[in-house]
Amino acid sequence: TLSSFFALPGGTAAIDLDDAGQLLLLARWSMSQNGLYTAPLVGSTTLNLVVPWPQGAAEPVAMTEKLDSGDWWVLDEGGAVHLLKRSGGAVLSVVQTPGLSTLGSGGLQENPITGELLISAGNNLLRYNPGTKVLNTVMALGYPQGGAEAMGLAFDPVTRGYLFTNWMGFGPGMYGFVHELDA
């Protein structure tokens, strides 16, 4: 155990490390305490609020750092992508992903070469260009019986492609998959 924290009743949507090596926690405790917190990796039980969660936004699901500024992209349960500023502000709903009601999970990953944001949300793998503000579907997972949901993402620096996961329900069971999307 590296650190322990008192009472995370609703859980943590995502974790990461910031540039200073501190732990980042995207909390989804209750609407009034949702937000991005930092904490030292060892010894502390104190969480420090960096950015409160925007009022009126659905609960956070996933996050990734915006590499050119150190701000954070955050995906919420309603499928909206937000930009949380390192300076403490929040830009509500930068882009809305299509056809979603409530996400249980999802993923975000910024391409360090192009600056585009890859989003796994609902039944889709999407690409968002912050410069042109264009959102495109890269891959639709379909709608099999039992459902499908995109989950985690990781940029592969060797192939410059992405690894992503999803689950699908078929007949009596649910199955998980790992895919690689070529650059």
Side-chain angles (χ1 to χ4, degrees), residues 61-64 74-77 79-81 97-98 100 103-110 117-128 135-141 148-154 162-167 177 179 181:
V61 171
M63 73 174 177
T64 193
V74 180
L75 177 67
D76 75 17
E77 285 183 335
V81 176
T97 60
L100 299 171
L103 292 175
S105 62
L108 296 171
Q109 189 74 56
E110 185 175 298
L117 186 64
L118 203 67
I119 306 163
S120 60
N123 297 326
N124 296 299
L125 187 62
L126 307 158
R127 180 177 286 129
Y128 175 68
L135 180 71
N136 293 311
T137 300
V138 175
M139 180 178 181
L141 299 171
E149 188 169 10
M151 300 176 81
L153 280 171
Y162 289 90
L163 300 171
F164 68 99
T165 62
N166 75 294
W167 69 264
F177 301 93
H179 309 276
L181 178 68

mmCIF file of all heavy atoms in Angstrom, residues 61-64 74-77 79-81 97-98 100 103-110 117-128 135-141 148-154 162-167 177 179 181:
data_model
loop_
_atom_site.group_PDB
_atom_site.id
_atom_site.type_symbol
_atom_site.label_atom_id
_atom_site.label_comp_id
_atom_site.label_asym_id
_atom_site.label_seq_id
_atom_site.Cartn_x
_atom_site.Cartn_y
_atom_site.Cartn_z
ATOM 1 N N VAL A 61 -15.871 9.855 -15.382
ATOM 2 C CA VAL A 61 -15.623 8.446 -15.677
ATOM 3 C C VAL A 61 -14.147 8.177 -15.944
ATOM 4 O O VAL A 61 -13.592 7.198 -15.479
ATOM 5 C CB VAL A 61 -16.467 8.000 -16.897
ATOM 6 C CG1 VAL A 61 -16.084 6.615 -17.369
ATOM 7 C CG2 VAL A 61 -17.946 8.049 -16.563
ATOM 8 N N ALA A 62 -13.495 9.047 -16.742
ATOM 9 C CA ALA A 62 -12.107 8.808 -17.152
ATOM 10 C C ALA A 62 -11.406 10.141 -17.380
ATOM 11 O O ALA A 62 -12.056 11.158 -17.601
ATOM 12 C CB ALA A 62 -12.076 7.976 -18.429
ATOM 13 N N MET A 63 -10.052 10.114 -17.343
ATOM 14 C CA MET A 63 -9.294 11.340 -17.599
ATOM 15 C C MET A 63 -7.963 11.001 -18.254
ATOM 16 O O MET A 63 -7.484 9.867 -18.189
ATOM 17 C CB MET A 63 -9.029 12.100 -16.310
ATOM 18 C CG MET A 63 -7.990 11.462 -15.409
ATOM 19 S SD MET A 63 -7.616 12.518 -14.008
ATOM 20 C CE MET A 63 -6.464 11.483 -13.136
ATOM 21 N N THR A 64 -7.373 12.018 -18.880
ATOM 22 C CA THR A 64 -6.009 11.944 -19.386
ATOM 23 C C THR A 64 -5.457 13.354 -19.436
ATOM 24 O O THR A 64 -6.213 14.332 -19.562
ATOM 25 C CB THR A 64 -5.939 11.267 -20.772
ATOM 26 O OG1 THR A 64 -4.586 10.952 -21.075
ATOM 27 C CG2 THR A 64 -6.507 12.154 -21.863
ATOM 28 N N VAL A 74 -11.444 15.201 -19.392
ATOM 29 C CA VAL A 74 -12.244 14.310 -18.541
ATOM 30 C C VAL A 74 -13.529 13.943 -19.278
ATOM 31 O O VAL A 74 -14.198 14.804 -19.842
ATOM 32 C CB VAL A 74 -12.593 14.964 -17.181
ATOM 33 C CG1 VAL A 74 -13.426 14.021 -16.331
ATOM 34 C CG2 VAL A 74 -11.334 15.358 -16.435
ATOM 35 N N LEU A 75 -13.858 12.653 -19.263
ATOM 36 C CA LEU A 75 -15.099 12.132 -19.836
ATOM 37 C C LEU A 75 -16.078 11.912 -18.699
ATOM 38 O O LEU A 75 -15.715 11.353 -17.659
ATOM 39 C CB LEU A 75 -14.812 10.808 -20.546
ATOM 40 C CG LEU A 75 -15.997 10.051 -21.149
ATOM 41 C CD1 LEU A 75 -16.598 10.838 -22.314
ATOM 42 C CD2 LEU A 75 -15.540 8.668 -21.617
ATOM 43 N N ASP A 76 -17.338 12.361 -18.879
ATOM 44 C CA ASP A 76 -18.329 12.132 -17.825
ATOM 45 C C ASP A 76 -19.341 11.057 -18.233
ATOM 46 O O ASP A 76 -19.331 10.582 -19.365
ATOM 47 C CB ASP A 76 -19.001 13.443 -17.394
ATOM 48 C CG ASP A 76 -20.026 14.003 -18.379
ATOM 49 O OD1 ASP A 76 -20.503 13.279 -19.269
ATOM 50 O OD2 ASP A 76 -20.357 15.189 -18.249
ATOM 51 N N GLU A 77 -20.192 10.663 -17.280
ATOM 52 C CA GLU A 77 -21.171 9.588 -17.507
ATOM 53 C C GLU A 77 -22.155 9.904 -18.622
ATOM 54 O O GLU A 77 -22.745 9.008 -19.200
ATOM 55 C CB GLU A 77 -21.964 9.314 -16.225
ATOM 56 C CG GLU A 77 -21.203 8.557 -15.186
ATOM 57 C CD GLU A 77 -22.068 8.250 -13.971
ATOM 58 O OE1 GLU A 77 -23.050 8.973 -13.696
ATOM 59 O OE2 GLU A 77 -21.745 7.274 -13.279
ATOM 60 N N GLY A 79 -21.341 11.234 -21.399
ATOM 61 C CA GLY A 79 -20.638 11.198 -22.672
ATOM 62 C C GLY A 79 -20.024 12.526 -23.087
ATOM 63 O O GLY A 79 -19.517 12.656 -24.193
ATOM 64 N N ALA A 80 -20.051 13.529 -22.210
ATOM 65 C CA ALA A 80 -19.438 14.823 -22.526
ATOM 66 C C ALA A 80 -17.967 14.795 -22.134
ATOM 67 O O ALA A 80 -17.590 14.209 -21.122
ATOM 68 C CB ALA A 80 -20.153 15.947 -21.792
ATOM 69 N N VAL A 81 -17.133 15.443 -22.959
ATOM 70 C CA VAL A 81 -15.719 15.599 -22.647
ATOM 71 C C VAL A 81 -15.518 17.030 -22.163
ATOM 72 O O VAL A 81 -15.953 17.984 -22.801
ATOM 73 C CB VAL A 81 -14.834 15.323 -23.879
ATOM 74 C CG1 VAL A 81 -13.373 15.594 -23.563
ATOM 75 C CG2 VAL A 81 -15.022 13.885 -24.352
ATOM 76 N N THR A 97 -20.153 13.259 -27.046
ATOM 77 C CA THR A 97 -20.101 12.043 -27.848
ATOM 78 C C THR A 97 -21.517 11.638 -28.239
ATOM 79 O O THR A 97 -22.470 11.946 -27.535
ATOM 80 C CB THR A 97 -19.391 10.901 -27.087
ATOM 81 O OG1 THR A 97 -20.097 10.636 -25.883
ATOM 82 C CG2 THR A 97 -17.958 11.279 -26.765
ATOM 83 N N PRO A 98 -21.693 10.961 -29.369
ATOM 84 C CA PRO A 98 -23.036 10.675 -29.881
ATOM 85 C C PRO A 98 -23.715 9.488 -29.226
ATOM 86 O O PRO A 98 -23.064 8.544 -28.795
ATOM 87 C CB PRO A 98 -22.772 10.365 -31.357
ATOM 88 C CG PRO A 98 -21.395 9.799 -31.377
ATOM 89 C CD PRO A 98 -20.637 10.534 -30.292
ATOM 90 N N LEU A 100 -25.427 8.553 -26.447
ATOM 91 C CA LEU A 100 -25.188 7.948 -25.133
ATOM 92 C C LEU A 100 -26.198 8.456 -24.127
ATOM 93 O O LEU A 100 -26.598 9.597 -24.165
ATOM 94 C CB LEU A 100 -23.782 8.302 -24.650
ATOM 95 C CG LEU A 100 -22.648 7.814 -25.547
ATOM 96 C CD1 LEU A 100 -21.352 8.415 -25.094
ATOM 97 C CD2 LEU A 100 -22.572 6.316 -25.528
ATOM 98 N N LEU A 103 -22.806 6.350 -19.260
ATOM 99 C CA LEU A 103 -21.622 5.518 -19.391
ATOM 100 C C LEU A 103 -21.262 4.920 -18.045
ATOM 101 O O LEU A 103 -21.235 5.624 -17.052
ATOM 102 C CB LEU A 103 -20.416 6.354 -19.848
ATOM 103 C CG LEU A 103 -20.424 6.920 -21.240
ATOM 104 C CD1 LEU A 103 -19.198 7.801 -21.433
ATOM 105 C CD2 LEU A 103 -20.427 5.807 -22.253
ATOM 106 N N GLY A 104 -20.943 3.646 -18.028
ATOM 107 C CA GLY A 104 -20.401 3.041 -16.814
ATOM 108 C C GLY A 104 -18.892 3.153 -16.787
ATOM 109 O O GLY A 104 -18.268 3.187 -15.740
ATOM 110 N N SER A 105 -18.309 3.223 -17.972
ATOM 111 C CA SER A 105 -16.857 3.331 -18.089
ATOM 112 C C SER A 105 -16.531 3.970 -19.422
ATOM 113 O O SER A 105 -17.409 4.194 -20.248
ATOM 114 C CB SER A 105 -16.208 1.946 -17.989
ATOM 115 O OG SER A 105 -16.649 1.137 -19.058
ATOM 116 N N GLY A 106 -15.280 4.238 -19.639
ATOM 117 C CA GLY A 106 -14.828 4.832 -20.884
ATOM 118 C C GLY A 106 -13.351 5.110 -20.775
ATOM 119 O O GLY A 106 -12.729 4.818 -19.754
ATOM 120 N N GLY A 107 -12.791 5.676 -21.807
ATOM 121 C CA GLY A 107 -11.370 5.980 -21.783
ATOM 122 C C GLY A 107 -11.049 7.174 -22.646
ATOM 123 O O GLY A 107 -11.768 7.483 -23.603
ATOM 124 N N LEU A 108 -9.962 7.843 -22.291
ATOM 125 C CA LEU A 108 -9.453 8.976 -23.047
ATOM 126 C C LEU A 108 -7.954 8.800 -23.178
ATOM 127 O O LEU A 108 -7.291 8.356 -22.240
ATOM 128 C CB LEU A 108 -9.692 10.291 -22.304
ATOM 129 C CG LEU A 108 -11.113 10.741 -22.048
ATOM 130 C CD1 LEU A 108 -11.120 11.936 -21.111
ATOM 131 C CD2 LEU A 108 -11.781 11.117 -23.350
ATOM 132 N N GLN A 109 -7.408 9.181 -24.311
ATOM 133 C CA GLN A 109 -5.958 9.146 -24.487
ATOM 134 C C GLN A 109 -5.601 10.166 -25.546
ATOM 135 O O GLN A 109 -6.173 10.165 -26.626
ATOM 136 C CB GLN A 109 -5.489 7.752 -24.904
ATOM 137 C CG GLN A 109 -4.001 7.575 -24.903
ATOM 138 C CD GLN A 109 -3.430 7.484 -23.506
ATOM 139 O OE1 GLN A 109 -3.820 6.654 -22.722
ATOM 140 N NE2 GLN A 109 -2.500 8.367 -23.195
ATOM 141 N N GLU A 110 -4.649 11.051 -25.240
ATOM 142 C CA GLU A 110 -4.207 12.030 -26.217
ATOM 143 C C GLU A 110 -3.031 11.477 -26.998
ATOM 144 O O GLU A 110 -2.115 10.896 -26.421
ATOM 145 C CB GLU A 110 -3.806 13.337 -25.528
ATOM 146 C CG GLU A 110 -3.458 14.429 -26.509
ATOM 147 C CD GLU A 110 -3.182 15.760 -25.840
ATOM 148 O OE1 GLU A 110 -4.104 16.297 -25.201
ATOM 149 O OE2 GLU A 110 -2.047 16.255 -25.955
ATOM 150 N N LEU A 117 -7.430 13.646 -29.558
ATOM 151 C CA LEU A 117 -7.915 12.908 -28.402
ATOM 152 C C LEU A 117 -8.699 11.706 -28.890
ATOM 153 O O LEU A 117 -9.628 11.850 -29.694
ATOM 154 C CB LEU A 117 -8.818 13.816 -27.558
ATOM 155 C CG LEU A 117 -9.312 13.268 -26.242
ATOM 156 C CD1 LEU A 117 -8.147 13.014 -25.274
ATOM 157 C CD2 LEU A 117 -10.299 14.234 -25.611
ATOM 158 N N LEU A 118 -8.320 10.515 -28.443
ATOM 159 C CA LEU A 118 -9.081 9.311 -28.748
ATOM 160 C C LEU A 118 -9.997 9.045 -27.556
ATOM 161 O O LEU A 118 -9.568 9.150 -26.404
ATOM 162 C CB LEU A 118 -8.151 8.122 -28.988
ATOM 163 C CG LEU A 118 -8.753 6.993 -29.814
ATOM 164 C CD1 LEU A 118 -9.013 7.443 -31.244
ATOM 165 C CD2 LEU A 118 -7.855 5.789 -29.817
ATOM 166 N N ILE A 119 -11.248 8.725 -27.843
ATOM 167 C CA ILE A 119 -12.270 8.561 -26.807
ATOM 168 C C ILE A 119 -12.944 7.213 -26.997
ATOM 169 O O ILE A 119 -13.434 6.911 -28.085
ATOM 170 C CB ILE A 119 -13.348 9.669 -26.924
ATOM 171 C CG1 ILE A 119 -12.704 11.057 -26.918
ATOM 172 C CG2 ILE A 119 -14.399 9.523 -25.835
ATOM 173 C CD1 ILE A 119 -13.612 12.156 -27.431
ATOM 174 N N SER A 120 -12.957 6.393 -25.954
ATOM 175 C CA SER A 120 -13.767 5.178 -25.998
ATOM 176 C C SER A 120 -14.980 5.445 -25.106
ATOM 177 O O SER A 120 -14.846 5.706 -23.923
ATOM 178 C CB SER A 120 -12.980 3.951 -25.534
ATOM 179 O OG SER A 120 -12.525 4.090 -24.212
ATOM 180 N N ALA A 121 -16.146 5.422 -25.725
ATOM 181 C CA ALA A 121 -17.365 5.771 -25.004
ATOM 182 C C ALA A 121 -18.546 5.042 -25.621
ATOM 183 O O ALA A 121 -18.733 5.076 -26.837
ATOM 184 C CB ALA A 121 -17.598 7.282 -25.064
ATOM 185 N N GLY A 122 -19.316 4.397 -24.773
ATOM 186 C CA GLY A 122 -20.486 3.678 -25.265
ATOM 187 C C GLY A 122 -20.082 2.590 -26.240
ATOM 188 O O GLY A 122 -19.220 1.783 -25.961
ATOM 189 N N ASN A 123 -20.672 2.598 -27.415
ATOM 190 C CA ASN A 123 -20.389 1.598 -28.440
ATOM 191 C C ASN A 123 -19.396 2.096 -29.485
ATOM 192 O O ASN A 123 -19.300 1.522 -30.562
ATOM 193 C CB ASN A 123 -21.685 1.205 -29.150
ATOM 194 C CG ASN A 123 -22.661 0.567 -28.194
ATOM 195 O OD1 ASN A 123 -22.264 -0.128 -27.275
ATOM 196 N ND2 ASN A 123 -23.928 0.835 -28.385
ATOM 197 N N ASN A 124 -18.664 3.160 -29.189
ATOM 198 C CA ASN A 124 -17.825 3.787 -30.193
ATOM 199 C C ASN A 124 -16.410 4.073 -29.719
ATOM 200 O O ASN A 124 -16.175 4.363 -28.547
ATOM 201 C CB ASN A 124 -18.435 5.127 -30.632
ATOM 202 C CG ASN A 124 -19.757 4.960 -31.312
ATOM 203 O OD1 ASN A 124 -19.853 4.310 -32.345
ATOM 204 N ND2 ASN A 124 -20.796 5.526 -30.731
ATOM 205 N N LEU A 125 -15.504 4.030 -30.681
ATOM 206 C CA LEU A 125 -14.164 4.559 -30.516
ATOM 207 C C LEU A 125 -14.137 5.809 -31.390
ATOM 208 O O LEU A 125 -14.412 5.742 -32.597
ATOM 209 C CB LEU A 125 -13.123 3.539 -30.977
ATOM 210 C CG LEU A 125 -11.681 3.889 -30.708
ATOM 211 C CD1 LEU A 125 -11.417 4.004 -29.209
ATOM 212 C CD2 LEU A 125 -10.766 2.834 -31.309
ATOM 213 N N LEU A 126 -13.872 6.964 -30.769
ATOM 214 C CA LEU A 126 -13.996 8.249 -31.449
ATOM 215 C C LEU A 126 -12.669 8.990 -31.448
ATOM 216 O O LEU A 126 -11.823 8.765 -30.581
ATOM 217 C CB LEU A 126 -15.050 9.113 -30.731
ATOM 218 C CG LEU A 126 -16.408 8.451 -30.518
ATOM 219 C CD1 LEU A 126 -17.159 9.124 -29.392
ATOM 220 C CD2 LEU A 126 -17.210 8.503 -31.795
ATOM 221 N N ARG A 127 -12.500 9.906 -32.401
ATOM 222 C CA ARG A 127 -11.318 10.761 -32.461
ATOM 223 C C ARG A 127 -11.789 12.206 -32.486
ATOM 224 O O ARG A 127 -12.632 12.581 -33.309
ATOM 225 C CB ARG A 127 -10.497 10.454 -33.706
ATOM 226 C CG ARG A 127 -9.243 11.310 -33.823
ATOM 227 C CD ARG A 127 -8.392 10.940 -35.026
ATOM 228 N NE ARG A 127 -7.707 9.683 -34.742
ATOM 229 C CZ ARG A 127 -7.705 8.621 -35.544
ATOM 230 N NH1 ARG A 127 -8.365 8.654 -36.678
ATOM 231 N NH2 ARG A 127 -7.051 7.541 -35.221
ATOM 232 N N TYR A 128 -11.241 13.028 -31.571
ATOM 233 C CA TYR A 128 -11.595 14.446 -31.493
ATOM 234 C C TYR A 128 -10.354 15.279 -31.763
ATOM 235 O O TYR A 128 -9.307 15.078 -31.146
ATOM 236 C CB TYR A 128 -12.154 14.776 -30.102
ATOM 237 C CG TYR A 128 -12.435 16.243 -29.909
ATOM 238 C CD1 TYR A 128 -13.458 16.873 -30.613
ATOM 239 C CD2 TYR A 128 -11.689 17.005 -29.021
ATOM 240 C CE1 TYR A 128 -13.726 18.224 -30.438
ATOM 241 C CE2 TYR A 128 -11.948 18.353 -28.836
ATOM 242 C CZ TYR A 128 -12.967 18.955 -29.552
ATOM 243 O OH TYR A 128 -13.227 20.292 -29.378
ATOM 244 N N LEU A 135 -15.288 15.863 -34.374
ATOM 245 C CA LEU A 135 -15.386 14.554 -33.738
ATOM 246 C C LEU A 135 -15.760 13.536 -34.808
ATOM 247 O O LEU A 135 -16.759 13.709 -35.509
ATOM 248 C CB LEU A 135 -16.462 14.576 -32.642
ATOM 249 C CG LEU A 135 -16.697 13.285 -31.881
ATOM 250 C CD1 LEU A 135 -15.514 12.976 -30.966
ATOM 251 C CD2 LEU A 135 -17.976 13.378 -31.063
ATOM 252 N N ASN A 136 -14.945 12.483 -34.952
ATOM 253 C CA ASN A 136 -15.199 11.433 -35.937
ATOM 254 C C ASN A 136 -15.273 10.079 -35.259
ATOM 255 O O ASN A 136 -14.576 9.835 -34.267
ATOM 256 C CB ASN A 136 -14.063 11.372 -36.977
ATOM 257 C CG ASN A 136 -14.020 12.590 -37.849
ATOM 258 O OD1 ASN A 136 -15.036 13.008 -38.392
ATOM 259 N ND2 ASN A 136 -12.845 13.183 -37.991
ATOM 260 N N THR A 137 -16.078 9.182 -35.828
ATOM 261 C CA THR A 137 -16.121 7.803 -35.363
ATOM 262 C C THR A 137 -14.997 7.039 -36.043
ATOM 263 O O THR A 137 -14.901 7.020 -37.263
ATOM 264 C CB THR A 137 -17.468 7.145 -35.699
ATOM 265 O OG1 THR A 137 -18.503 7.889 -35.052
ATOM 266 C CG2 THR A 137 -17.504 5.693 -35.221
ATOM 267 N N VAL A 138 -14.130 6.422 -35.240
ATOM 268 C CA VAL A 138 -13.049 5.601 -35.756
ATOM 269 C C VAL A 138 -13.555 4.186 -35.960
ATOM 270 O O VAL A 138 -13.286 3.544 -36.962
ATOM 271 C CB VAL A 138 -11.846 5.595 -34.780
ATOM 272 C CG1 VAL A 138 -10.762 4.645 -35.241
ATOM 273 C CG2 VAL A 138 -11.311 6.993 -34.592
ATOM 274 N N MET A 139 -14.332 3.695 -34.997
ATOM 275 C CA MET A 139 -14.838 2.328 -35.043
ATOM 276 C C MET A 139 -16.120 2.248 -34.229
ATOM 277 O O MET A 139 -16.173 2.733 -33.099
ATOM 278 C CB MET A 139 -13.788 1.389 -34.457
ATOM 279 C CG MET A 139 -14.180 -0.049 -34.434
ATOM 280 S SD MET A 139 -12.798 -1.017 -33.756
ATOM 281 C CE MET A 139 -13.493 -2.633 -33.851
ATOM 282 N N ALA A 140 -17.139 1.657 -34.812
ATOM 283 C CA ALA A 140 -18.384 1.396 -34.086
ATOM 284 C C ALA A 140 -18.383 -0.080 -33.704
ATOM 285 O O ALA A 140 -18.176 -0.941 -34.556
ATOM 286 C CB ALA A 140 -19.585 1.725 -34.955
ATOM 287 N N LEU A 141 -18.583 -0.346 -32.431
ATOM 288 C CA LEU A 141 -18.533 -1.719 -31.933
ATOM 289 C C LEU A 141 -19.817 -2.486 -32.216
ATOM 290 O O LEU A 141 -19.877 -3.681 -32.008
ATOM 291 C CB LEU A 141 -18.247 -1.731 -30.432
ATOM 292 C CG LEU A 141 -16.917 -1.102 -30.016
ATOM 293 C CD1 LEU A 141 -16.850 -0.972 -28.508
ATOM 294 C CD2 LEU A 141 -15.762 -1.925 -30.543
ATOM 295 N N ALA A 148 -22.747 -3.657 -25.749
ATOM 296 C CA ALA A 148 -21.304 -3.534 -25.937
ATOM 297 C C ALA A 148 -20.883 -2.221 -25.306
ATOM 298 O O ALA A 148 -21.631 -1.256 -25.320
ATOM 299 C CB ALA A 148 -20.937 -3.531 -27.413
ATOM 300 N N GLU A 149 -19.702 -2.183 -24.736
ATOM 301 C CA GLU A 149 -19.227 -0.935 -24.156
ATOM 302 C C GLU A 149 -17.718 -0.846 -24.282
ATOM 303 O O GLU A 149 -16.999 -1.749 -23.886
ATOM 304 C CB GLU A 149 -19.628 -0.822 -22.692
ATOM 305 C CG GLU A 149 -19.329 0.535 -22.117
ATOM 306 C CD GLU A 149 -19.958 0.751 -20.744
ATOM 307 O OE1 GLU A 149 -20.467 -0.204 -20.151
ATOM 308 O OE2 GLU A 149 -19.912 1.886 -20.274
ATOM 309 N N ALA A 150 -17.247 0.271 -24.877
ATOM 310 C CA ALA A 150 -15.822 0.552 -24.951
ATOM 311 C C ALA A 150 -15.332 0.946 -23.559
ATOM 312 O O ALA A 150 -16.052 1.564 -22.799
ATOM 313 C CB ALA A 150 -15.570 1.681 -25.946
ATOM 314 N N MET A 151 -14.107 0.588 -23.249
ATOM 315 C CA MET A 151 -13.606 0.848 -21.900
ATOM 316 C C MET A 151 -12.271 1.592 -21.928
ATOM 317 O O MET A 151 -12.219 2.766 -22.170
ATOM 318 C CB MET A 151 -13.531 -0.455 -21.123
ATOM 319 C CG MET A 151 -14.904 -1.122 -21.015
ATOM 320 S SD MET A 151 -14.885 -2.707 -20.216
ATOM 321 C CE MET A 151 -14.873 -2.208 -18.514
ATOM 322 N N GLY A 152 -11.153 0.890 -21.696
ATOM 323 C CA GLY A 152 -9.871 1.554 -21.532
ATOM 324 C C GLY A 152 -9.122 1.779 -22.830
ATOM 325 O O GLY A 152 -9.368 1.125 -23.840
ATOM 326 N N LEU A 153 -8.169 2.723 -22.784
ATOM 327 C CA LEU A 153 -7.336 3.078 -23.933
ATOM 328 C C LEU A 153 -5.892 3.242 -23.486
ATOM 329 O O LEU A 153 -5.633 3.700 -22.381
ATOM 330 C CB LEU A 153 -7.761 4.427 -24.500
ATOM 331 C CG LEU A 153 -8.951 4.483 -25.404
ATOM 332 C CD1 LEU A 153 -9.318 5.942 -25.654
ATOM 333 C CD2 LEU A 153 -8.667 3.805 -26.711
ATOM 334 N N ALA A 154 -4.953 2.918 -24.370
ATOM 335 C CA ALA A 154 -3.538 3.185 -24.119
ATOM 336 C C ALA A 154 -2.855 3.460 -25.446
ATOM 337 O O ALA A 154 -3.078 2.758 -26.425
ATOM 338 C CB ALA A 154 -2.873 2.005 -23.424
ATOM 339 N N TYR A 162 -3.120 2.446 -30.975
ATOM 340 C CA TYR A 162 -3.791 2.422 -29.679
ATOM 341 C C TYR A 162 -4.193 0.997 -29.328
ATOM 342 O O TYR A 162 -4.549 0.208 -30.196
ATOM 343 C CB TYR A 162 -5.073 3.267 -29.708
ATOM 344 C CG TYR A 162 -4.808 4.733 -29.780
ATOM 345 C CD1 TYR A 162 -4.698 5.377 -30.995
ATOM 346 C CD2 TYR A 162 -4.668 5.480 -28.622
ATOM 347 C CE1 TYR A 162 -4.457 6.729 -31.071
ATOM 348 C CE2 TYR A 162 -4.425 6.841 -28.681
ATOM 349 C CZ TYR A 162 -4.312 7.456 -29.910
ATOM 350 O OH TYR A 162 -4.073 8.791 -29.975
ATOM 351 N N LEU A 163 -4.144 0.697 -28.052
ATOM 352 C CA LEU A 163 -4.741 -0.520 -27.526
ATOM 353 C C LEU A 163 -6.029 -0.085 -26.839
ATOM 354 O O LEU A 163 -6.051 0.934 -26.148
ATOM 355 C CB LEU A 163 -3.809 -1.186 -26.515
ATOM 356 C CG LEU A 163 -2.444 -1.593 -27.058
ATOM 357 C CD1 LEU A 163 -1.538 -2.031 -25.912
ATOM 358 C CD2 LEU A 163 -2.584 -2.692 -28.091
ATOM 359 N N PHE A 164 -7.111 -0.830 -27.053
ATOM 360 C CA PHE A 164 -8.342 -0.504 -26.340
ATOM 361 C C PHE A 164 -9.099 -1.774 -26.006
ATOM 362 O O PHE A 164 -8.894 -2.813 -26.618
ATOM 363 C CB PHE A 164 -9.217 0.492 -27.108
ATOM 364 C CG PHE A 164 -9.821 -0.023 -28.384
ATOM 365 C CD1 PHE A 164 -11.130 -0.463 -28.412
ATOM 366 C CD2 PHE A 164 -9.091 -0.032 -29.563
ATOM 367 C CE1 PHE A 164 -11.694 -0.919 -29.584
ATOM 368 C CE2 PHE A 164 -9.654 -0.478 -30.749
ATOM 369 C CZ PHE A 164 -10.957 -0.925 -30.756
ATOM 370 N N THR A 165 -9.928 -1.668 -24.991
ATOM 371 C CA THR A 165 -10.694 -2.820 -24.528
ATOM 372 C C THR A 165 -12.181 -2.517 -24.634
ATOM 373 O O THR A 165 -12.599 -1.366 -24.630
ATOM 374 C CB THR A 165 -10.359 -3.168 -23.057
ATOM 375 O OG1 THR A 165 -10.727 -2.068 -22.227
ATOM 376 C CG2 THR A 165 -8.884 -3.477 -22.883
ATOM 377 N N ASN A 166 -12.947 -3.590 -24.733
ATOM 378 C CA ASN A 166 -14.392 -3.452 -24.655
ATOM 379 C C ASN A 166 -14.984 -4.778 -24.199
ATOM 380 O O ASN A 166 -14.305 -5.797 -24.166
ATOM 381 C CB ASN A 166 -14.996 -3.037 -26.007
ATOM 382 C CG ASN A 166 -15.043 -4.164 -27.017
ATOM 383 O OD1 ASN A 166 -14.002 -4.643 -27.459
ATOM 384 N ND2 ASN A 166 -16.241 -4.595 -27.385
ATOM 385 N N TRP A 167 -16.225 -4.738 -23.801
ATOM 386 C CA TRP A 167 -16.958 -5.967 -23.504
ATOM 387 C C TRP A 167 -18.169 -6.016 -24.420
ATOM 388 O O TRP A 167 -18.660 -4.994 -24.884
ATOM 389 C CB TRP A 167 -17.369 -6.059 -22.034
ATOM 390 C CG TRP A 167 -18.434 -5.066 -21.620
ATOM 391 C CD1 TRP A 167 -18.214 -3.855 -21.026
ATOM 392 C CD2 TRP A 167 -19.851 -5.183 -21.786
ATOM 393 N NE1 TRP A 167 -19.409 -3.210 -20.824
ATOM 394 C CE2 TRP A 167 -20.428 -4.008 -21.274
ATOM 395 C CE3 TRP A 167 -20.680 -6.150 -22.320
ATOM 396 C CZ2 TRP A 167 -21.805 -3.782 -21.276
ATOM 397 C CZ3 TRP A 167 -22.054 -5.933 -22.325
ATOM 398 C CH2 TRP A 167 -22.591 -4.754 -21.801
ATOM 399 N N PHE A 177 -12.671 -8.044 -24.736
ATOM 400 C CA PHE A 177 -11.758 -8.058 -25.859
ATOM 401 C C PHE A 177 -10.698 -6.988 -25.689
ATOM 402 O O PHE A 177 -10.959 -5.918 -25.138
ATOM 403 C CB PHE A 177 -12.506 -7.791 -27.173
ATOM 404 C CG PHE A 177 -13.586 -8.798 -27.473
ATOM 405 C CD1 PHE A 177 -14.895 -8.549 -27.074
ATOM 406 C CD2 PHE A 177 -13.298 -9.969 -28.143
ATOM 407 C CE1 PHE A 177 -15.903 -9.475 -27.351
ATOM 408 C CE2 PHE A 177 -14.300 -10.884 -28.416
ATOM 409 C CZ PHE A 177 -15.598 -10.641 -28.017
ATOM 410 N N HIS A 179 -8.141 -4.874 -28.316
ATOM 411 C CA HIS A 179 -7.926 -4.607 -29.739
ATOM 412 C C HIS A 179 -6.719 -3.701 -29.906
ATOM 413 O O HIS A 179 -6.343 -2.966 -28.997
ATOM 414 C CB HIS A 179 -9.132 -3.878 -30.342
ATOM 415 C CG HIS A 179 -10.442 -4.516 -30.083
ATOM 416 N ND1 HIS A 179 -10.932 -5.548 -30.855
ATOM 417 C CD2 HIS A 179 -11.381 -4.285 -29.125
ATOM 418 C CE1 HIS A 179 -12.125 -5.909 -30.392
ATOM 419 N NE2 HIS A 179 -12.414 -5.168 -29.353
ATOM 420 N N LEU A 181 -5.538 -0.693 -32.583
ATOM 421 C CA LEU A 181 -5.896 0.169 -33.693
ATOM 422 C C LEU A 181 -4.594 0.700 -34.284
ATOM 423 O O LEU A 181 -3.823 1.378 -33.589
ATOM 424 C CB LEU A 181 -6.775 1.330 -33.217
ATOM 425 C CG LEU A 181 -7.181 2.338 -34.278
ATOM 426 C CD1 LEU A 181 -8.123 1.712 -35.289
ATOM 427 C CD2 LEU A 181 -7.814 3.541 -33.637
#
